[in-house]
C-alpha cells in the first residue's frame, strides 16, 4: 500500500510543494493559509503562478476524470491576493559564515533566500543591474510583469541579502578573490548563451538570437524588425519572441518548428495565445539557409517527418528530400537552444562538460574547487524556473549541512499515489475547469500588458474545489473494531476487510468522510478534517457569534461544494460554518452546538442529485434524524434542529423564536 | 357412537368447533354445543385460541362429555412444558377425554398477553409422540405409568400453503405427524376445491383420515380480511362477490359452505366446520349439504 | 457476536438520578461492531446526559472512556484508577460486560446502559439478526446451517407451523419464515430428505453454564 505516498502533484513538483494543502485552503477561502503553504518552499509564488511549467498539473489525477486542476492559476490567485501580506520574519544572523552567490536568477536568489533564513550572511553578484535573471529579463511583461518579479526579489533582499550588481565573474572579480572574503561561493549564472546553427547566412544582419532580443526589449528598447518575422524554435522563448514581435508592430510573424504540435515544448496554451494573436506556426520544418544581401531577406526550409525515437524519447525529425520551400523574412529570430558561457567558467578553473555545463559531484553542487558550489541551469543546461528554484534549495541546504558539519541529508523520496482505478473514476462527477479570463486580442497586441487576468475569488474557490484531495482521505486507526461498517457504506466501495482491521486504500479514497462519521469506534480519521479541528472551529465560531448576536443564536452548516461562494443565504441570526459535504457530519456535530448553548442549528444541504459524494445527502438526513431524536429525549427539543432551504428559514426562525432560547441558558443572563 | 367409532365405521365425518369464553359464563357455550349435538361426530374445543387468555379446553371438554358429546381436546405447545403437557394429558384422560388434537399453537404476541413466555418446549410432532408413548404406558423419558391412557390423537395440516416450499413442508410434516401417531387430520379452511384436490392427491399414500376445514363466511369483509391475514386461507373472488351482492348473508354463507362440503365428499373422509360465532347455524349448513 | 441496544434514555436518566460523577464506559468489541456501545455512542450519550442533567438542575459530570472488552478483568484494570474518581459507571457493554466491571470494580455502582438482545450476525448495512440461541444442543447439521431455534418465533425443530404467509413469519411479519429459508438451502444442497428426519425434543441447559478448559485451567 502507498502509505507514505504523496499526491502526484506534490511528487511531481521539483520542490514538492504541498499543492493539495494550498488548494484545499483556497477551496475554503483561506488564501492566507494557502500562501503560507506555498511560501514555505517557494520564494517566487507570483512568478511561478504565471510561468511555471507546472509538472504538477501534468501529474494531476483529476485529468483521469476531466481536466487537471489549474494549480498554477490557483498559486497565482493566492499570491495576487496576498501581495501586501508579511509572511516571513527577518531572520537573525546566527552564523558567521559569509556566502557569495553569483547570479541572481531563481536558483541563486532561492539559495540566497534559504541561506538568509537559516542565518547566514549572503551577497548576490550579478552582471546585470537588474536582479532576477531570466525572470526579469527573459520573459516578456505580458506574461510576467516586471514589477511582480521586483517585489519578489525585494522580499528576498529584505531578509538581509546584499546585492552587488553590474559585476561579472572573470571581468570584475575572480573566484579566488571572492574566496578570500566569503567562506563559500555558489555559482548560479544560468545558461543564457544562445546556440546558433551553422547554416549559410546565419551571420547576416537581421538574424538575431531570441534571448538577446527579449533582453533588449525588457530593457525598454524597441528594435526595428520589419514586417515579416520568422521565429525558429518551439520553446517558450520562441513563442515569447514571436508574440513580442507582434507587439512591436510586425504584421507577419511565423514560427517554424521542426516537430509537431504534440511535441512543442511551449505547450498548447501558449500556442493558442500566439495563434489568436495572428502568429502562423509551421510544423515539421527546419531551416537550411538564410539568404539576403548583407541583411537577411528570406529563409529556405526543408520539410521534416518524424522518425525513430531519439535519446530524449521524442521522435526524431528527419528531412524529406526535395521538399524545400522559402519564406520571406525581414528578421529571423533564433530560439533553438542555450548553453552556459563556458569560457568564463573554464578560466575560473572549474571542470566543464562538453556541453559547457559545470561538472558537480551531485545535488549538493560541490565542484572541483574547494568551497565553490554550482547549480541551476549552469549545471543542468536550460531548465524551467521551478527546477532552478529546486536546485537553489538543495544547494542552500547542502551548504548549511556543510558548514554545520551535519551529514548529508538523504534525498527524501516523494512517491506518488498510484492512479485512480477505472471503477472509481466512473463514480466521480465531472466538473469543468475554470477558464482563465484574458485580455481580448485587440486589447493586447499593441502593448505589453499582462494577458491573463487571473481568477476571480469565486472562480478560484470553485477551481480549488475540483481538487480530489488525493491522499487526504480516511485512515484507519488501531482501535478499529473491524465492524466493517465502512466496507458496507463507502459510496465508492474502497474500504475492504483486512486481516485484523478494515483497510482503506488511501490512493483511491475520495475523502468524503462518510465512513469516519459512521465509524462506531471513532477509529477512522479523515486527514482533511480532523475531529478536534471541527470541534475547535465550532467552539470558536460560537464564541465569536455570541459576542455580536442578538437574542437567538443559530448555527448554520452548509455544504461548500453546494455553495462554493459562501453561505447559501444571509441571515443576521445565523452563524454559518461551511463543510465539505454535510454527509460527513456525525450526530454529535449536530447536538454539540446545543451543549455550547446555541439556540438552533440549521443545515442547508445540496439537492439530492447534486451531492459531490453520491450519498452525502442521505447520510446527512440520517444523522440529523438521529440527532433530533436525542434532542427530543434530553428535553432540548427536536424542533431546534432542522434541514432547511432559504424559503423554509423564515418558518424555522419563527418556530425557534416561539420556543425561545436554549433551555440550557435559562436562568443565565440573556441579552435582550 | 363416539368419534373414533364413527371414523372406523367409514362414514363421512362431521366435526364442529367451539371456543371457550373469557370468564366463567358458560351458558351460551353449552347452548351452542347442545344445538349441534347429534348432528356432528365430535366437537373440538380450542385451547386459548389466538393466544387469548380464556377458559381452558380441558374443563369445557369435560362439560361436553357430561352432556353426551364426544369432544376433541385441542392441546397446544404454547403454554406448557413437557411436564405440564404430559400431566394434563393424564388429567384429561381421567376426566373422560379420548380425542386429542395436537397443535403447535399461536405465538403469545398475537394474543392479549403478548409478554407471556412462549414455551414451545415440544412441538406438535413431538407432542404426538408423547401421546403415543403415554398410550404405550410410558412417559417421555421412559418411566412406566401406573395405568395408561388410550387417546385417539389427531393433528392439523394447512393444505393452502401459499407457495410450493411451504406446501412441501406441510406434506413432510404431515408425514412426520403420522409417523408420530396422528390418526386423523383437520385442515385449515378450504375455499378452492381444485387446490384441495391436488393436496389430497399428494397425501393419498399416507392412508390417513382427512377432515376438510370449512369456515363460515360472514361477510365479504371477513373474506378479504382472511385473504390478507390468515395463512393458508384464500377465498376466491366469486365467493366474495356473492357475499357482497346478496341480500341475505346468512343464506348465501350457508349455500357456499354446503357447496364446498358437497365438493369435498368424494375427496376426503369428512369435514370440520369452524363457525366462529355462528355455531347455531351449523345444523342448517349440514341440512343444505344433505348430511 | 453479542448484540445489545441502548435503553430508553429516560430509564438511563432515572438510574443516574442520584449520581453526580458518572463514567460512561464503552466496550470496544461486540457492541462497537453492532454500533450501539462503542466510542462514538459513548460520546453521544455522555453529551446527552450532561445536557439532560443541566435541564433537570442535576448537573452531572459525564466522563467518556472505552475499553477493548468489559468481559475481561485485565482490560477493566486499565480504568481502575480513573474509575475511582466517579460515583458510578454507566456501562455500555452487554450484560456480561456490565457484570465483568461490577465484579472487578466492586466499590463502584455499575449501571447498565444497554439491553442485551441476542447473539447475531450482520445482515448487511446497519442490520444484525439473531442467529444463535446458545441452546447448548446444536442441530445446524440438519437444518442447512440455519438455526430454527434462534430464528423461528416458536423455535420449532420439526418443520414450520402453518402460519407463514408469503414466505414471511406470522409472528414478526418483517422476517422471513426460517423454515422456508432452511427448505431453500437444503434444496440447493440436495438435502431436502433431512427435513423428514424426526428431531427429538431438545435437552435444556442448566444455568449458569461454565466452560472449563482443562489444559488451561489446571491448579
Amino acid at each position: 500500500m502507498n502509505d507514505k505516498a504523496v499526491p502526484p502533484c506534490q511528487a511531481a513538483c521539483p520542490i514538492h510543494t504541498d499543492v493539495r494543502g494550498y488548494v484545499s485552503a483556497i477551496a475554503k477561502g483561506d488564501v492566507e493559509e494557502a500562501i503560507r503553504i506555498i511560501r514555505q518552499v517557494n520564494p517566487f509564488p507570483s512568478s511561478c503562478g504565471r510561468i511555471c511549467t507546472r509538472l504538477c498539473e501534468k501529474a494531476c489525477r483529476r485529468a483521469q476524470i476531466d481536466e487537471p486542476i489549474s494549480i498554477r492559476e490557483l498559486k497565482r490567485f493566492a499570491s495576487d491576493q496576498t501581495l501586501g501580506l508579511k509572511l516571513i520574519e527577518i531572520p537573525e544572523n546566527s552564523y558567521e559564515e559569509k556566502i557569495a552567490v553569483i547570479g541572481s536568477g531563481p536558483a541563486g536568489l532561492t539559495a540566497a533566500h534559504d541561506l538568509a533564513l537559516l542565518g547566514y550572511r549572503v551577497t548576490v553578484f550579478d552582471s546585470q543591474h537588474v536582479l532576477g535573471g531570466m525572470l526579469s529579463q527573459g520573459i516578456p511583461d505580458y506574461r510576467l510583469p516586471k514589477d511582480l518579479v521586483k517585489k519578489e526579489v525585494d522580499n528576498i533582499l529584505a531578509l538581509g541579502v546584499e546585492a552587488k550588481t553590474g559585476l561579472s565573474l572573470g571581468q570584475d572579480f575572480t573566484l579566488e578573490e571572492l574566496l578570500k572574503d566569503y567562506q563559500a561561493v555558489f555559482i548560479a549564472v544560468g545558461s543564457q548563451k544562445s546556440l546558433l546553427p551553422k547554416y549559410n547566412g546565419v551571420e547576416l544582419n537581421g538574424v538575431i538570437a531570441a534571448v538577446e532580443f527579449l533582453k533588449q526589449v525588457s530593457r525598454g528598447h524597441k528594435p526595428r524588425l520589419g514586417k515579416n518575422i520568422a521565429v525558429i524554435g518551439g520553446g517558450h522563448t520562441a513563442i515569447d519572441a514571436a508574440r513580442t514581435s507582434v507587439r512591436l508592430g510586425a504584421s507577419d510573424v511565423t514560427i517554424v518548428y521542426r516537430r509537431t504540435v504534440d511535441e512543442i515544448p511551449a505547450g498548447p496554451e501558449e500556442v493558442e495565445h500566439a495563434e489568436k494573436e495572428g502568429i502562423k506556426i509551421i510544423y515539421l520544418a527546419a531551416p537550411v539557409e538564410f539568404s539576403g544581401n548583407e541583411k537577411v531577406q528570406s529563409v529556405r526550409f526543408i520539410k521534416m517527418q518524424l522518425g525513430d525515437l531519439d535519446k530524449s524519447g521524442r521522435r526524431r525529425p528527419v528531412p524529406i528530400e526535395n521538399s524545400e520551400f522559402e519564406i520571406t523574412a525581414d528578421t529571423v529570430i533564433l530560439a533553438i537552444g542555450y548553453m552556459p558561457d563556458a569560457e568564463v567558467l573554464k578560466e575560473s578553473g572549474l571542470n566543464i562538460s562538453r556541453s559547457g555545463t559545470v561538472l558537480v559531484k551531485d545535488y549538493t553542487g560541490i565542484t572541483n574547487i574547494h568551497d565553490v558550489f554550482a547549480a541551476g541551469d549552469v549545471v543542468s543546461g536550460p531548465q524551467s524556473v521551478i527546477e532552478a528554484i529546486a536546485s537553489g534549495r538543495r544547494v542552500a541546504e547542502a551548504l548549511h549541512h556543510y558548514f554545520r558539519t551535519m551529514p548529508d541529508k538523504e534525498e527524501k523520496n516523494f512517491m506518488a499515489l498510484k492512479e485512480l482505478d477505472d471503477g472509481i473514476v466512473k463514480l466521480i462527477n465531472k466538473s469543468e475547469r475554470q477558464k482563465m479570463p484574458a485580455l481580448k486580442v485587440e486589447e493586447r497586441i499593441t502593448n505589453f500588458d499582462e494577458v491573463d487576468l487571473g481568477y476571480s475569488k469565486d472562480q478560484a474557490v470553485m477551481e480549488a474545489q475540483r481538487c480530489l484531495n488525493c491522499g487526504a482521505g480516511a485512515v484507519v486507526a488501531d482501535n478499529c473494531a473491524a465492524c466493517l461498517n465502512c466496507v458496507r457504506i463507502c459510496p465508492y466501495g474502497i474500504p475492504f476487510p483486512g486481516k485484523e482491521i478494515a483497510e482503506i486504500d488511501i490512493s483511491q479514497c475520495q475523502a468524503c468522510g462518510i465512513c469516519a462519521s459512521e465509524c462506531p469506534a471513532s477509529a477512522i480519521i479523515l486527514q482533511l478534517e480532523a475531529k478536534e479541528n471541527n470541534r475547535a472551529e465550532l467552539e470558536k465560531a460560537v464564541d465569536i457569534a455570541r459576542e455580536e448576536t442578538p437574542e437567538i443564536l443559530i448555527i448554520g452548516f452548509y455544504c461548500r461544494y453546494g455553495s462554493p461562494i459562501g453561505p447559501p443565504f444571509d441571515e443576521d441570526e445565523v452563524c454559518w460554518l461551511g463543510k465539505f459535504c454535510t454527509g460527513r457530519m456525525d450526530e454529535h456535530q449536530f447536538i454539540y452546538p446545543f451543549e455550547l448553548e446555541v439556540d438552533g442549528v440549521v443545515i442547508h444541504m445540496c439537492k439530492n442529485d447534486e451531492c459531490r459524494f453520491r450519498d452525502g445527502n442521505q447520510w446527512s438526513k440520517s444523522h440529523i434524524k438521529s440527532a433530533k431524536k436525542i434532542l427530543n429525549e434530553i428535553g432540548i427539543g427536536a424542533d431546534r434542529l432542522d434541514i432547511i432551504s432559504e424559503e423554509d428559514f423564515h418558518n424555522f426562525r419563527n418556530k425557534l423564536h416561539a420556543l425561545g432560547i436554549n433551555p440550557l441558558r435559562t436562568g443565565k443572563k440573556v441579552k435582550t | 357412537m363416539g368419534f373414533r367409532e364413527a371414523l372406523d365405521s367409514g362414514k363421512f365425518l362431521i366435526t364442529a368447533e367451539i371456543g371457550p369464553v373469557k370468564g366463567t359464563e358458560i351458558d351460551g357455550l353449552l347452548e351452542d354445543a347442545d344445538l349441534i349435538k347429534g348432528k356432528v361426530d365430535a366437537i373440538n374445543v380450542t385451547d386459548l385460541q389466538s393466544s387469548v387468555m380464556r377458559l381452558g379446553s380441558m374443563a369445557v371438554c369435560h362439560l361436553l362429555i357430561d352432556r353426551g358429546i364426544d369432544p376433541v381436546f385441542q392441546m397446544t405447545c404454547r403454554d406448557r412444558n413437557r411436564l405440564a403437557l404430559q400431566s394434563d394429558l393424564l388429567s384429561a384422560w381421567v376426566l373422560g377425554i379420548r380425542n386429542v388434537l395436537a397443535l403447535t399453537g399461536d405465538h403469545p404476541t398475537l394474543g392479549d398477553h403478548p409478554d407471556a413466555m412462549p414455551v414451545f418446549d415440544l412441538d406438535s410432532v413431538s407432542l404426538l409422540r408423547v401421546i403415543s408413548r403415554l398410550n404405550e404406558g410410558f412417559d417421555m423419558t421412559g418411566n412406566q405409568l401406573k395405568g395408561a391412557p388410550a387417546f385417539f390423537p389427531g393433528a392439523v395440516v394447512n393444505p393452502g400453503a401459499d407457495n410450493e416450499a411451504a406446501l412441501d413442508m406441510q406434506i413432510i410434516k404431515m408425514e412426520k405427524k403420522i409417523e408420530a401417531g396422528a390418526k386423523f387430520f383437520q385442515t385449515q379452511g378450504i375455499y378452492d376445491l381444485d387446490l384441495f384436490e391436488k393436496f389430497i392427491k399428494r397425501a393419498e399414500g399416507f392412508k390417513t383420515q382427512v377432515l376438510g376445514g370449512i369456515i363460515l363466511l360472514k361477510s365479504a369483509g371477513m373474506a378479504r380480511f382472511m385473504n390478507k391475514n390468515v395463512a393458508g386461507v384464500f377465498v376466491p373472488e366469486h365467493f366474495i362477490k356473492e357475499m357482497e351482492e346478496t341480500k341475505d348473508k346468512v343464506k348465501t354463507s350457508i349455500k357456499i359452505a354446503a357447496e364446498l362440503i358437497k365438493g369435498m365428499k368424494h375427496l376426503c373422509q369428512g369435514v370440520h366446520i369452524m363457525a366462529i360465532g355462528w355455531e347455531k347455524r351449523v345444523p342448517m349448513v349440514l341440512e343444505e349439504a344433505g348430511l | 457476536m453479542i448484540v445489545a441496544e441502548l435503553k430508553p434514555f429516560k430509564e438511563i436518566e432515572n438510574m443516574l438520578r442520584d449520581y453526580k460523577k458518572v463514567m460512561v464506559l464503552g466496550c470496544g468489541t461486540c457492541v462497537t461492531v453492532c454500533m450501539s456501545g462503542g466510542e462514538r455512542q459513548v460520546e453521544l450519550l455522555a453529551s446527552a446526559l450532561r445536557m439532560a442533567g443541566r435541564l433537570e438542575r442535576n448537573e452531572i459530570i459525564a466522563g467518556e472512556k472505552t475499553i477493548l472488552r468489559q468481559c475481561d478483568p485485565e482490560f477493566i484494570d486499565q480504568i481502575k484508577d480513573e474509575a475511582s474518581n466517579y460515583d458510578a459507571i454507566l456501562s455500555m457493554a452487554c450484560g456480561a460486560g456490565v457484570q465483568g466491571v461490577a465484579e472487578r470494580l466492586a466499590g463502584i455502582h455499575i449501571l447498565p446502559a444497554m439491553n442485551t438482545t441476542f447473539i447475531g450476525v450482520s445482515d448487511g448495512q446497519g442490520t444484525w439478526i439473531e442467529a444463535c440461541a446458545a441452546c447448548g444442543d446444536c442441530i445446524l447439521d440438519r437444518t442447512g446451517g440455519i438455526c430454527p431455534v434462534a430464528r423461528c418465533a416458536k423455535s420449532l425443530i420439526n418443520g414450520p407451523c402453518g402460519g407463514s404467509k408469503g414466505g414471511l413469519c406470522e409472528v414478526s411479519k418483517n422476517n422471513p419464515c426460517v423454515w422456508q429459508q432452511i427448505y431453500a438451502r437444503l434444496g440447493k444442497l440436495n438435502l431436502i430428505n433431512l427435513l423428514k428426519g424426526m428431531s427429538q425434543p431438545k435437552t435444556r441447559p442448566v444455568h449458569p453454564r461454565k466452560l472449563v478448559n482443562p489444559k488451561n485451567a489446571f491448579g
Side-chain angles (χ1 to χ4, degrees), chain A residues 20 468-469 471-477 504 506 509-517 519 522-534 561 579-581 583-585 589 613, chain C residues 40:
Chain A
R20 182 188 70 206
L468 299 175
N469 294 305
V475 174
V476 183
I504 293 175
I506 195 72
C509 176
Q510 294 303 302
C512 70
I514 289 169
C515 60
S517 77
C519 173
S522 299
I524 299 181
I525 295 129
L526 187 68
Q527 299 170 82
L528 196 63
E529 197 179 294
K531 194 173 169 181
E532 306 75 59
N533 296 351
N534 277 332
Y561 291 123
K579 293 278 158 185
F580 289 108
C581 185
R584 70 172 55 153
M585 297 180 67
Q589 289 190 59
F613 298 120
Chain C
R40 179 175 303 284

Side-chain angles (χ1 to χ4, degrees), chain B residues 82 104-105 107 109 120-123 125-126 140 158 162-163 165-166 168-170 172-173 176 227-228 230-231, chain C residues 153-154 156-167 170-171 179-180 183 192 195-198 201-202 204:
Chain B
R82 56 191 83 179
T104 300
H107 197 275
T109 51
F120 302 112
D121 184 23
L122 303 185
D123 60 12
V125 175
S126 37
M140 254 183 95
N158 188 351
D162 61 356
N163 63 61
D168 257 11
M169 285 190 288
Q170 282 297 316
I172 291 171
K173 198 166 181 182
K176 280 165 113 172
N227 280 355
K228 205 174 154 207
V230 181
Chain C
K154 300 174 187 171
L156 299 182
I157 55 173
N158 269 307
C161 69
S164 128
K165 203 165 164 64
E170 75 166 332
V171 180
W179 278 103
Q180 295 250 347
Y183 183 85
I192 291 287
L195 289 178
K196 295 182 178 160
M198 197 75 82
K202 295 178 70 66
R204 304 292 174 189

Side-chain angles (χ1 to χ4, degrees), chain A residues 465-660:
Chain A
Q465 290 187 358
R466 294 177 65 235
C467 175
L468 299 175
N469 294 305
C470 301
V475 174
V476 183
D478 286 345
N479 62 323
C480 166
C483 71
L484 307 185
N485 191 40
C486 53
V487 175
R488 293 174 192 134
I489 65 173
C490 174
Y492 302 91
I494 292 160
F496 61 95
K499 267 194 176 156
E500 287 171 4
I501 59 174
E503 290 181 18
I504 293 175
D505 181 352
I506 195 72
S507 76
Q508 304 301 311
C509 176
Q510 294 303 302
C512 70
I514 289 169
C515 60
S517 77
E518 273 288 297
C519 173
S522 299
I524 299 181
I525 295 129
L526 187 68
Q527 299 170 82
L528 196 63
E529 197 179 294
K531 194 173 169 181
E532 306 75 59
N533 296 351
N534 277 332
R535 205 179 258 233
E537 188 192 37
L538 175 70
E539 284 165 3
K540 195 174 144 200
V542 170
D543 278 350
I544 293 169
R546 176 91 55 224
E547 305 257 301
E548 8 179 289
T549 42
E551 211 175 325
I552 296 273
L553 169 57
I554 303 171
I555 290 288
F557 295 107
Y558 69 95
C559 174
R560 285 189 192 272
Y561 291 123
S563 311
I565 317 302
F569 54 88
D570 270 337
E571 277 296 340
D572 287 346
E573 288 170 338
V574 185
C575 164
W576 287 106
L577 284 172
K579 293 278 158 185
F580 289 108
C581 185
T582 51
R584 70 172 55 153
M585 297 180 67
D586 59 43
E587 297 105 301
H588 192 254
Q589 289 190 59
F590 295 121
I591 68 164
Y592 186 55
F594 293 100
E595 203 171 345
L596 299 176
E597 302 186 357
V598 162
D599 305 302
V601 173
V602 291
I603 296 92
H604 186 276
M605 294 193 322
C606 312
K607 294 198 183 88
N608 271 333
D609 52 350
E610 284 172 358
C611 180
R612 151 113 163 195
F613 298 120
R614 310 170 61 74
D615 293 349
N617 290 3
Q618 195 188 317
W619 287 108
S620 298
K621 283 180 195 156
S622 157
H623 294 156
I624 290 163
K625 194 172 158 197
S626 159
K628 279 169 93 79
K629 182 172 168 266
I630 295 172
L631 290 171
N632 227 3
E633 283 171 345
I634 58 185
I636 300 258
D639 284 346
R640 292 180 183 274
L641 169 67
D642 226 335
I643 304 167
I644 52 149
S645 65
E646 187 169 0
E647 299 81 61
D648 310 326
F649 181 73
H650 215 70
N651 276 339
F652 175 83
R653 208 190 66 149
N654 290 345
K655 211 155 53 172
L656 196 61
H657 275 266
L659 286 170

Side-chain angles (χ1 to χ4, degrees), chain C residues 46-116:
Chain C
S47 191
L49 285 171
R50 283 190 294 267
M51 284 193 263
R54 283 169 65 185
L55 289 175
E56 298 285 318
R57 298 278 188 283
N58 173 28
E59 290 207 20
I60 64 170
I61 294 165
E64 301 169 24
K65 201 85 202 169
T66 301
I67 57 175
L68 187 57
R69 280 202 301 275
Q70 294 188 19
C71 49
D72 277 311
E74 292 84 353
F75 285 123
I76 300 163
D77 286 346
Q78 293 173 347
I79 54 153
K80 210 167 190 163
D81 293 342
E82 206 176 331
S84 63
N85 299 324
Y86 290 90
D87 309 329
I89 293 177
L90 181 64
S91 163
M92 296 191 79
C94 69
V98 176
Q99 294 177 62
V101 180
E103 188 67 33
R104 198 67 174 179
L105 305 177
I108 307 172
H109 197 182
I110 315 296
L111 303 160
M114 318 290 284
N115 288 324
T116 307

